Amino acid sequence: MNLLAVSALIAGVLSAVHHAEVVAHKVGEPYGTIILAVAVTLLEASIIVSLMLTGGAGTETYARDTLFAAVMLILNGILGISMLVGATKYKEQNFETKSVTIALVSLVSILVLTLVLPNFTTSINGPSYTVPQLIATGISCLVIYASFIFTQTVRHRKYFLAEVSGEEKFVGKPEAFISLVFLFICLGVVILLAKAISPVIEDGIVAAGLPTALVGVAIAAVILLPEGIAAIRAAKRNQYQTSINLALGSALASIGLSIPTVVVVCTLMDLPLVLGLDSKSMVLLGLSVFTVMLSLNKGRTNGLYAMVLLVNLTMYIFTIIFA
């Protein structure tokens, strides 16, 4: 049964990537990457909310832990692996630095407001917000994300465009619409299977004597597989701009859409919510953001940057195991 679920999960991921690329070819960049990022995020947010509503120990930190794991995997894993694949094949790859600046300015603000600032407010004890603070934070995330989308798709769309190779094929409107429908179906299957096999993953981690915090990382990794594979395939086509659009757009969507959703549910249902990270996690988050900023500030990639990002990811997982 477990083997069947894993096989179905892999098939769902590969199908989602295929349909996402078909849609992207029709609507063009950066709309294709936005569709994939938002679709994954909406399904991810629904899973977070459903698990929080079930109650039980640790539900108040589930949103924080899942989103932090997703951001760390995106910044260090997806960007790092894509960069390494591109460096192995092309040595260096070009991209538009203005798009990176726009995305990182938005991302840093959202990350600090949601995962860092709650540790330093004084209205309530602990790494949490009061209801008014929570609502203000949710609105801030929406405003920043909406501003980013407007900039990406209207005001400065040219900064996010990737060069189209001769291998790109025209996709008709009916085929694109069908692929969009199947994209959501495949992503839904991936998310549901990730939730279904999470007890198996948890049992395996516990049996190995590892911390249960790794469960959230494993589930986040499964959820991000479609975007990760799409980003790696783009890097193999010498389109690292698309990889950046997928990775940073996904990180922004994960926080910018999931947090407001969680805020609404927790406010209406009077559920506890802990957002502030501990000191170790804040250091790792700061290191990851700073490293990404430095490695993407020249408009060209190389293998060294990729290795540093992957070392950051390894140390993040290592410090979970050996806290």
Side-chain angles (χ1 to χ4, degrees):
M1 183 64 180
N2 294 338
L3 181 60
L4 181 62
V6 172
S7 301
L9 181 64
I10 295 173
V13 168
L14 296 177
S15 298
V17 172
H18 167 73
H19 292 299
E21 290 182 339
V22 171
V23 173
H25 290 170
K26 173 58 183 175
V27 302
E29 288 295 339
Y31 301 108
T33 55
I34 292 173
I35 290 173
L36 179 57
V38 172
V40 170
T41 299
L42 291 177
L43 293 170
E44 177 187 19
S46 67
I47 295 299
I48 291 175
V49 170
S50 66
L51 291 176
M52 292 182 69
L53 291 175
T54 59
T59 54
E60 69 277 3
T61 63
Y62 188 82
R64 178 199 68 185
D65 295 342
T66 302
L67 294 176
F68 175 58
V71 168
M72 293 296 289
L73 290 171
I74 291 168
L75 293 182
N76 298 301
I78 294 179
L79 281 177
I81 295 174
S82 300
M83 193 181 295
L84 183 61
V85 168
T88 301
K89 189 172 182 179
Y90 302 103
K91 294 186 179 179
E92 289 185 335
Q93 291 182 295
N94 298 323
F95 57 89
E96 177 56 68
T97 56
K98 293 177 182 177
S99 68
V100 175
T101 301
I102 290 170
L104 286 179
V105 165
S106 306
L107 181 61
V108 169
S109 179
I110 289 180
L111 287 175
V112 171
L113 290 176
T114 56
L115 300 179
V116 178
L117 186 59
N119 290 321
F120 301 97
T121 55
T122 58
S123 299
I124 188 173
N125 293 327
S128 302
Y129 276 139
T130 62
V131 173
Q133 291 170 338
L134 204 56
I135 294 174
T137 301
I139 294 174
S140 298
C141 290
L142 285 177
V143 169
I144 292 174
Y145 185 68
S147 300
F148 169 76
I149 292 297
F150 175 75
T151 302
Q152 186 183 30
T153 59
V154 180
R155 184 69 68 185
H156 297 295
R157 183 189 172 194
K158 62 182 180 180
Y159 297 160
F160 298 85
L161 297 180
E163 294 183 5
V164 179
S165 67
E167 299 175 358
E168 302 284 352
K169 296 181 180 179
F170 175 77
V171 181
K173 188 174 182 179
E175 291 83 356
F177 178 76
I178 293 173
S179 288
L180 180 62
V181 173
F182 277 104
L183 170 61
F184 277 91
I185 293 174
C186 291
L187 290 174
V189 170
V190 170
I191 301 296
L192 291 176
L193 285 173
K195 182 180 177 181
I197 66 174
S198 60
V200 179
I201 296 175
E202 184 174 1
D203 292 342
I205 289 175
V206 171
L210 299 173
T212 55
L214 281 177
V215 176
V217 177
I219 300 304
V222 172
I223 293 173
L224 292 171
L225 269 179
E227 290 166 309
I229 294 177
I232 293 169
R233 290 174 64 166
K236 288 179 67 176
R237 297 192 303 267
N238 201 21
Q239 294 179 349
Y240 194 69
Q241 182 65 57
T242 299
S243 301
I244 290 175
N245 293 346
L246 280 164
L248 297 184
S250 176
L252 274 165
S254 291
I255 305 291
L257 296 179
S258 295
I259 290 296
T261 302
V262 171
V263 166
V264 170
V265 172
C266 290
T267 301
L268 294 178
M269 304 292 293
D270 193 26
L271 297 175
L273 178 63
V274 174
L275 287 177
L277 296 170
D278 57 32
S279 300
K280 178 191 69 177
S281 297
M282 286 192 291
V283 170
L284 289 170
L285 179 62
L287 173 64
S288 299
V289 172
F290 187 61
T291 305
V292 168
M293 285 181 172
L294 291 178
S295 60
L296 298 181
N297 72 341
K298 296 297 183 182
R300 298 181 71 86
T301 67
N302 64 52
L304 172 64
Y305 300 157
M307 293 307 299
V308 172
L309 291 175
L310 293 176
V311 166
N312 288 347
L313 177 63
T314 303
M315 287 305 299
Y316 161 61
I317 297 175
F318 183 85
T319 54
I320 291 177
I321 300 174
F322 301 98

